[in-house]
Amino acid sequence: MSQTPDGAAHGGQRASGTRVSGTRATAGTSKPWFRQLYIQVLIAIVIGIVLGWRWPDLATSMEPIGTTFITAMKMLIGPIVFLTIISGIAGVADLKKVGLTGIKALTYFQVGTIVALMTGLVAINVFRLGDGVHADPSTLDTSGDAGQYIQQGEHQHWWEFLTNLVPDSFFGAFVEGDILQVIFLAVIFGIALKSVGSVGEPLIAGVHRLTEVVFKVLSFVMKAAPLGAFGAMSYAIGKFGLSTLTSLGSLIFLFYATSIVFVVVVLGGVLAAYVKLNIFQLFRYFREEFFLVLGTSTAEPALPGLMRKLQFMGVERSTVGLVVPTGYSFNLDGAAIYLSLATLYIAQATDTPLSLTQQLGLLAVMLLTSKGAAGVAGGGFIALTATLSTVGHVPAAGIMLIFGIDKFMSECRALVNFFGNAVATLFIAKWEGGLDLARAREVLAGRAGDPPVAGAAEDASVAQGVPVAPAGDRDAASAPARPEAGTEVKGGTAAVAEVTR
């Protein structure tokens, strides 16, 4: 039996592909099907659809159930992002690695966003669904919520996401729920704690313990996930109706088809060619998060599960803590596809001709405006309006043509964003040499047991950043060799002196 520097006890023999915490091994354990979270969420989604279809008035009254769950999840996102980034930075031996990881991540995000934008542009240019609509922008009613989004987007500049990076106060970032500002604060505090050396060690240990508490609170909130998915889905169907879904069904279908092609071909190709993992196995591994995002129409509730499961796969905690939260603001592949596709559809529907040069100019503007409304209510419409207002060729009032079906496309946007960030983290981890590829393959093949439950006492090692698998099976030539029994293992955010006999 040994202890981490922050006092967490760990012991037991560790074998390849099996993680032992205390005296319990996670390999081979599984819940009955009816206790699986994704099954419960799927059933809740189906019930919500039926309720919204048959009894729309009753279904719309279910809105508070969905919004309350999403609000409860957003309440925890800020603290989780703040604590995990600090832990990740504190666990890096050299602060230069933090900067290099950040540069690599931002480079990948920008390239991925460009590819996603171009995918949407190609799809709408090939099928040209807006031709023949002949909508007159002057006759479109821009009142209500859509009008507010248009007004906000028209007054937003592409550079505002940079100037808004610094919060007015420390707690203001958490109160407003601005993830970019939380990331900014976390990076500064993490670097400061790392720089002061032994003075900051007690605080770092406190961060590890507080992280475990926050994840335990998360486990309580996640028990209500089926209710949240039921409330959100029943409200969406009851409010907008299946008739809205069929009125512009061709555009919705094109968006979903384009997104599927992007995820399977582009992201799947990157994952297979460079990381050497299978995208379909990744779908199965994140099935709980998939249905949670599908039911709530937002990727934020799935962020903690994404971070926890990536660590369980063998990705270094420092990489997860830096890449995933940043990706939730800068790596929005689904939003990029939607933005380019919707912009060209509006141009076609309002008979606004756009040359190839003008479309490439739109792409350059969207590359910036897509970052400007991350995490903001109605962010997709705000970014869309900001794009149209900046370019000036396409009338901003044209977004009213697609306002009614936006809800049915938000699920797809969130799902693509989610899997885009999962692939991005694995890519950066492989690039940094911080991925245990043998462990990842074992986990995706289902041979390493079930992923840890958030906040479970026996999974404190994951919450505190202790490696969940030996570091010796890395796929890189420069990876460290497997440590012998009794040696000190350095990884994640803590060093564990583990004696196995």
Side-chain angles (χ1 to χ4, degrees):
M1 182 75 69
S2 61
Q3 288 190 328
T4 62
D6 53 350
H10 300 278
Q13 187 171 359
R14 188 185 305 216
S16 177
T18 304
R19 178 177 144 301
V20 177
S21 180
T23 58
R24 289 183 55 184
T26 59
T29 60
S30 61
K31 296 180 181 178
W33 67 269
F34 55 87
R35 293 188 60 189
Q36 297 282 352
L37 180 63
Y38 79 96
I39 294 292
Q40 296 174 358
V41 171
L42 178 60
I43 294 173
I45 291 174
V46 173
I47 295 175
I49 292 174
V50 173
L51 182 66
W53 171 46
R54 300 297 299 173
W55 299 279
D57 292 338
L58 177 61
T60 53
S61 66
M62 299 294 108
E63 181 186 17
I65 299 177
T67 55
T68 300
F69 172 75
I70 294 174
T71 301
M73 290 298 301
K74 288 183 176 180
M75 169 188 71
L76 297 173
I77 296 300
I80 288 175
V81 169
F82 184 75
L83 294 171
T84 52
I85 288 181
I86 290 179
S87 296
I89 293 175
V92 177
D94 186 359
L95 282 177
K96 291 182 180 179
K97 183 180 178 182
V98 176
L100 290 175
T101 302
I103 292 173
K104 290 178 180 179
L106 291 176
T107 301
Y108 176 93
F109 295 160
Q110 291 300 88
V111 173
T113 301
I114 291 174
V115 174
L117 288 169
M118 293 184 65
T119 302
L121 287 178
V122 170
I124 195 62
N125 273 291
V126 170
F127 294 97
R128 301 194 65 84
L129 299 180
D131 289 348
V133 176
H134 305 302
D136 184 359
S138 63
T139 63
L140 297 175
D141 182 16
T142 57
S143 59
D145 292 339
Q148 295 179 4
Y149 297 149
I150 292 175
Q151 184 178 7
Q152 187 173 349
E154 288 176 338
H155 292 87
Q156 178 172 302
H157 304 285
W158 63 265
W159 39 261
E160 286 187 359
F161 79 96
L162 290 175
T163 58
N164 291 335
L165 193 62
V166 181
D168 295 331
S169 66
F170 177 84
F171 295 103
F174 297 92
V175 173
E176 298 296 330
D178 193 319
I179 298 300
L180 280 175
Q181 294 181 354
V182 173
I183 292 173
F184 177 77
L185 289 174
V187 170
I188 291 178
F189 271 76
I191 293 175
L193 285 175
K194 183 68 176 178
S195 301
V196 297
S198 60
V199 176
E201 290 180 359
L203 291 177
I204 294 174
V207 167
H208 296 329
R209 292 188 173 93
L210 187 56
T211 302
E212 183 180 349
V213 174
V214 172
F215 271 90
K216 188 63 179 179
V217 175
L218 171 67
S219 70
F220 298 152
V221 176
M222 285 300 297
K223 295 182 185 299
L227 285 176
F230 161 76
M233 185 59 68
S234 59
Y235 169 76
I237 300 299
K239 175 70 174 178
F240 299 100
L242 293 177
S243 59
T244 304
L245 182 64
T246 57
S247 63
L248 288 173
S250 58
L251 181 58
I252 297 173
F253 178 80
L254 178 62
F255 176 59
Y256 273 77
T258 304
S259 299
I260 291 172
V261 169
F262 177 82
V263 172
V264 174
V265 177
V266 178
L267 296 182
V270 169
L271 194 66
Y274 184 72
V275 189
K276 310 299 182 183
L277 295 176
N278 188 297
I279 189 71
F280 296 102
Q281 289 183 329
L282 199 70
F283 293 157
R284 182 179 60 187
Y285 182 58
F286 287 111
R287 58 185 180 272
E288 289 186 355
E289 289 71 23
F290 175 92
F291 287 110
L292 182 61
V293 172
L294 181 66
T296 59
S297 300
T298 175
E300 287 185 344
L303 184 148
L306 174 62
M307 299 177 73
R308 177 168 42 87
K309 286 188 173 182
L310 285 171
Q311 289 180 57
F312 185 74
M313 283 180 64
V315 181
E316 286 186 355
R317 180 182 176 87
S318 58
T319 303
V320 173
L322 288 171
V323 177
V324 174
T326 309
Y328 261 64
S329 295
F330 287 94
N331 189 39
L332 307 176
D333 294 332
I337 295 173
Y338 166 81
L339 197 58
S340 58
L341 192 149
T343 300
L344 267 293
Y345 175 83
I346 292 172
Q348 295 168 4
T350 56
D351 298 319
T352 305
L354 291 175
S355 64
L356 178 60
T357 302
Q358 289 174 321
Q359 291 188 31
L360 293 177
L362 272 174
L363 188 148
V365 173
M366 287 185 286
L367 189 62
L368 298 172
T369 55
S370 62
K371 310 294 191 297
V376 180
F381 277 112
I382 295 172
L384 180 57
T385 306
T387 301
L388 301 182
S389 300
T390 301
V391 175
H393 302 304
V394 186
I399 72 169
M400 296 304 302
L401 296 172
I402 61 174
F403 183 73
I405 62 171
D406 179 74
K407 177 61 181 176
F408 298 102
M409 294 195 284
S410 62
E411 290 89 351
C412 187
R413 284 200 303 265
L415 287 170
V416 177
N417 292 342
F418 175 83
F419 282 108
N421 283 307
V423 173
T425 307
L426 291 168
F427 183 95
I428 300 301
K430 176 68 180 298
W431 193 358
E432 287 278 286
L435 172 65
D436 187 339
L437 189 56
R439 169 72 182 180
R441 288 171 175 164
E442 288 287 308
V443 170
L444 292 184
R447 294 191 294 267
D450 294 332
V453 178
E458 64 268 23
D459 294 310
S461 59
V462 174
Q464 296 172 4
V466 179
V468 295
D473 291 333
R474 302 196 186 280
D475 190 53
S478 60
R482 183 186 302 274
E484 295 296 328
T487 60
E488 185 180 32
V489 182
K490 291 186 180 294
T493 61
V496 184
E498 185 175 54
V499 180
T500 56
R501 295 286 185 248

